[in-house]
Amino acid sequence: MRSVFSVAAGLSCLSLATATAIIPDKIYGVNLGSWLLLESWMLPGEWLQMGGEQCNPCSSCIATEFAFAQAYPDTVDQKFEEHWNTWFTGDDVNQLKDLGINTARIPLGYWIIEPLVDRKTEFYPRGGIHQLRRGLKQLKDAGIVAILDHHALPGVAADNQQFAGQCTNTPQFYTDYNYNRALVWAAVMTGLSHLHPDFSSVFAIEAANEPLMNATLTPGYGDYQKKFVQTVRAMESLLGIRARTQNRRASTDSSASFNATEIFNGVSPANCRFTGEICKVILEALPILVDVSLEVGGFDLHSVFGLAGQPQLMTNFMDVSWQSAGPAANPADAAMGPQGYDNHLYYVFGGVADPNPKAYMTSICNLQRVQNAQASRNIPLWFGEWGLPTQFSATDAFLRDWADAQKLAYTKGAGWIFWNFKVEISEEAGDLAREWSYMEGVKRGYLTRDPAALHNPNVCDPYIN
Ligand SMILES: *[C@@H]1O[C@H](CO)[C@@H](O)[C@H](O)[C@H]1NC(C)=O
Ligand SMILES: *[C@@H]1O[C@H](CO)[C@@H](O)[C@H](O)[C@H]1NC(C)=O
């Protein structure tokens, strides 16, 4: 057991003048999918070369990070290090910058905060946090802001999905034990985002990617939403970061100094400034924050300034409409301070429109999701995942219209984040990149080079009801 003193001493080394990023006026973004959370369908050739397998259901072979780490305990870290270094590079950042991309959503697993992993029963690669730091720094240097997306949650939040990190048909995220681990993750990420200069590209932390759509199957998720916001705000409050009513830009005021002793006093059981459970979460998170910070390095130990001038992070949730069945909690009820909402829309999986071009265009051109979100107080709303895939064989001309019409619909909200910045181009992948890769879509002319532009601003005119 570490003494509070040693943790406090560690923490006091971490205080720095960094400025957390703020949300762009309009988000033109891409997901950095399959980087720190690998989904093998997006890189079938590389996955086979690494030693992975393909199968259906995905639980029956080495199709996920979990299965891979379990099968190759001795080489998993090195294999993933290679993948992390090559899948997302400085060249990619430069290309995204050239293309006017201003936002990156970064899907992450809980295991990137390594002390949260129970190594007796859970198997994941180690070392991702160094890569996250590397990528955030490159994004920051390019002026691209970032969302840390808790995409693969402890215990697994969705059944038989590669994006959940492990394929299983018994997701266990919706339990006290795993909600608690996700809250500790959020506290650590909040601390890093405010304290570490390379993390200052972060403007939002997303509590959970795509929970089960049937709220009956996610007991406690509404409570988790509230505790997630309380955790982020408690951490910020302890760091001296408070709500500001008007100007959310970072000020240069460093008069309020960072005091580790006060931080511990604020969450000690005897003197808990927040609800008891949040103090427990923060007390659990502080030593992890120190360990992870020392591990990741890169703090300038000589600059010790207050953090009071930093803007608060945005807390971020899937919008209330995501849980379309059962008694869904409205994340707007959890908000304290800046909060954003994430909507995902894919036509290719069915259930949205009939599988033909006219039905797709009619649906997207009359989309009501932004208005509905507004009515539920879920604003600002952005479209954090979308793409060009269709259920039919689309012509090049259709894909241009399809890209335009989607961008038109999504910029009625706070903007959009394409899935994905790229996918593998290989024999094994076939033509996957045509509809799933932002960079390839631009290259082939479906997506305009300037993300704010459209080929045809009147593309929806014939379809509007
Ligand atoms: C930090 O806060 C504690 C408790 O309020 C106080 O006793 C101490 O003097 C403070 N340290 C500094 C360096 O301001
Ligand atoms: C949601 O889950 C409950 C409990 O399993 C089930 O009874 C209900 O039919 C489900 N609703 C939908 C729309 O699938």
Side-chain angles (χ1 to χ4, degrees):
M1 186 73 198
R2 304 172 60 116
S3 75
V4 164
F5 177 78
S6 76
V7 175
L11 258 186
S12 65
C13 292
L14 306 179
S15 57
L16 274 185
T18 63
T20 317
I22 58 170
I23 182 174
D25 288 338
K26 199 62 86 176
I27 291 176
Y28 302 115
V30 291
N31 281 277
L32 304 186
S34 255
W35 180 39
L36 293 166
L37 169 49
L38 191 152
E39 300 182 39
S40 52
W41 67 272
M42 295 166 69
L43 50 147
E46 186 190 328
W47 184 245
L48 294 179
Q49 265 177 14
M50 286 171 75
E53 298 168 344
Q54 284 181 314
C55 52
N56 190 1
C58 59
S59 54
S60 60
C61 73
I62 304 172
T64 58
E65 293 207 17
F66 184 103
F68 191 100
Q70 191 169 27
Y72 305 108
D74 298 332
T75 53
V76 57
D77 295 351
Q78 177 237 321
K79 294 265 187 200
F80 271 81
E81 178 74 15
E82 266 171 54
H83 167 71
W84 295 328
N85 275 322
T86 51
W87 183 253
F88 175 64
T89 67
D91 276 353
D92 294 321
V93 176
N94 291 338
Q95 278 192 56
L96 295 173
K97 182 184 176 184
D98 281 351
L99 293 176
I101 290 299
N102 62 20
T103 303
R105 179 170 177 262
I106 309 180
L108 299 169
Y110 75 94
W111 56 90
I112 198 162
I113 303 300
E114 290 170 20
L116 292 176
V117 179
D118 176 359
R119 300 272 166 200
K120 292 190 294 300
T121 56
E122 298 174 336
F123 309 97
Y124 289 103
R126 297 175 215 236
I129 193 77
H130 296 282
Q131 293 281 335
L132 178 61
R133 176 193 163 193
R134 184 265 294 177
L136 288 172
K137 165 91 164 63
Q138 290 171 323
L139 292 167
K140 178 178 120 174
D141 292 345
I144 298 172
V145 296
I147 300 167
L148 301 180
D149 155 28
H150 205 171
H151 203 87
L153 293 131
V156 179
D159 38 317
N160 295 313
Q161 295 285 355
Q162 292 177 5
F163 73 69
Q166 180 191 6
C167 281
T168 161
N169 45 25
T170 53
Q172 295 296 313
F173 171 58
Y174 309 96
T175 58
D176 288 345
Y177 168 62
N178 285 315
Y179 284 134
N180 181 71
R181 287 201 287 172
L183 294 174
V184 172
W185 189 97
V188 174
M189 287 301 186
T190 301
L192 285 172
S193 298
H194 283 295
L195 292 167
H196 197 294
D198 295 345
F199 279 65
S200 61
S201 43
V202 175
F203 78 92
I205 301 183
E206 184 162 17
N209 174 69
E210 299 193 0
L212 296 173
M213 295 174 109
N214 184 343
T216 314
L217 306 175
T218 65
Y221 178 56
D223 253 14
Y224 168 68
Q225 293 175 348
K226 291 188 170 140
K227 288 176 189 160
F228 173 84
V229 175
Q230 288 166 15
T231 297
V232 171
R233 297 298 172 233
M235 194 71 195
E236 290 184 325
S237 158
L238 291 167
L239 295 174
I241 296 155
R242 300 275 144 72
R244 259 171 300 159
T245 43
Q246 285 184 333
N247 185 359
R248 291 204 297 111
R249 291 184 47 216
S251 83
T252 51
D253 170 29
S254 59
S255 54
S257 70
F258 177 95
N259 183 325
T261 311
E262 282 198 340
I263 290 186
F264 273 92
N265 286 346
V267 287
S268 71
N271 197 16
C272 177
R273 272 171 41 195
F274 312 98
T275 64
E277 185 173 347
I278 302 304
C279 283
K280 264 193 270 173
V281 167
I282 304 279
L283 272 176
E284 207 177 317
L286 288 174
I288 296 178
L289 174 61
V290 171
D291 284 349
V292 171
S293 299
L294 295 177
E295 165 76 19
V296 78
F299 291 91
D300 176 357
L301 301 184
H302 299 293
S303 16
V304 179
F305 294 107
L307 303 167
Q310 292 194 9
Q312 292 179 308
L313 291 163
M314 277 191 130
T315 46
N316 180 207
F317 298 94
M318 301 294 296
D319 76 299
V320 63
S321 75
W322 174 260
Q323 291 202 308
S324 47
N330 187 346
D333 295 337
M336 295 190 288
Q339 182 159 295
Y341 303 85
D342 182 10
N343 193 277
H344 296 178
L345 186 48
Y346 290 113
Y347 284 69
V348 65
F349 303 125
V352 183
D354 287 345
N356 65 71
K358 186 162 180 253
Y360 271 39
M361 292 298 285
T362 305
S363 162
I364 194 73
C365 290
N366 295 285
L367 196 72
Q368 295 300 305
R369 290 191 179 196
V370 174
Q371 293 91 322
N372 293 345
Q374 192 143 11
S376 307
R377 296 171 288 127
N378 282 201
I379 48 172
L381 178 84
W382 56 80
F383 289 79
E385 291 191 21
W386 65 286
L388 299 182
T390 61
Q391 296 154 290
F392 46 87
S393 164
T395 64
D396 289 346
F398 177 77
L399 290 185
R400 276 192 295 276
D401 286 351
W402 183 224
D404 273 1
Q406 288 192 80
K407 284 160 60 177
L408 204 54
Y410 306 153
T411 48
K412 286 180 185 148
W416 49 257
I417 307 173
F418 195 91
W419 189 280
N420 192 35
F421 81 109
K422 74 169 197 185
V423 297
E424 183 178 279
I425 296 180
S426 68
E427 208 177 310
E428 291 88 346
D431 212 10
L432 195 67
R434 182 175 184 244
E435 298 173 344
W436 286 107
S437 163
Y438 189 82
M439 298 211 226
E440 189 66 11
V442 173
K443 206 160 159 194
R444 298 197 192 189
Y446 309 139
L447 294 148
T448 52
R449 271 198 73 84
D450 170 4
L454 299 169
H455 298 288
N456 173 12
N458 304 314
V459 67
C460 272
D461 289 1
Y463 303 99
I464 288 174
N465 293 334

